Amino acid sequence: GCGGFESNQRRTMNEHRLMVFFRLAFWVSVFFIFSLALVPARSAIPSTGWDKLNHFLAFFLLAMLGGRAYPMRLGLVFGGLLA
């Protein structure tokens, strides 16, 4: 009946909101991580103390957010991160 349609419509709206959230989180993270990459090493920036781990965490975060933000464009997201 009608309840199924409303439930599907509500689920679609929630999925859209979640997609918008992940896209916003992805682009804010891209901006933040890119900004950190441009800051001189002498500045006090968030760090694990190990450069390789810092890079892994940054790219892992971007890959996870990018995958959720753009699930139909995974190749483009991951290709962009590898470039």
Side-chain angles (χ1 to χ4, degrees):
C2 234
F5 175 75
E6 289 175 7
S7 176
N8 287 340
Q9 188 177 18
R10 189 176 17 237
R11 184 172 35 244
T12 301
M13 286 178 56
N14 288 338
E15 289 171 359
H16 176 73
R17 286 184 185 138
L18 200 55
M19 179 90 59
V20 169
F21 168 79
F22 279 115
R23 286 183 179 181
L24 180 62
F26 173 74
W27 288 109
V28 167
S29 296
V30 166
F31 175 77
F32 181 71
I33 291 169
F34 184 73
S35 298
L36 286 175
L38 297 179
V39 171
R42 298 183 311 277
S43 302
I45 59 172
S47 176
T48 64
W50 188 33
D51 190 52
K52 301 287 184 206
L53 183 57
N54 292 340
H55 285 93
F56 171 78
L57 292 173
F59 282 97
F60 181 78
L61 173 70
L62 293 176
M64 293 300 102
L65 290 175
R68 293 296 304 266
Y70 299 98
M72 302 302 287
R73 297 194 170 144
L74 292 179
L76 189 60
V77 169
F78 297 140
L81 291 175
L82 291 173

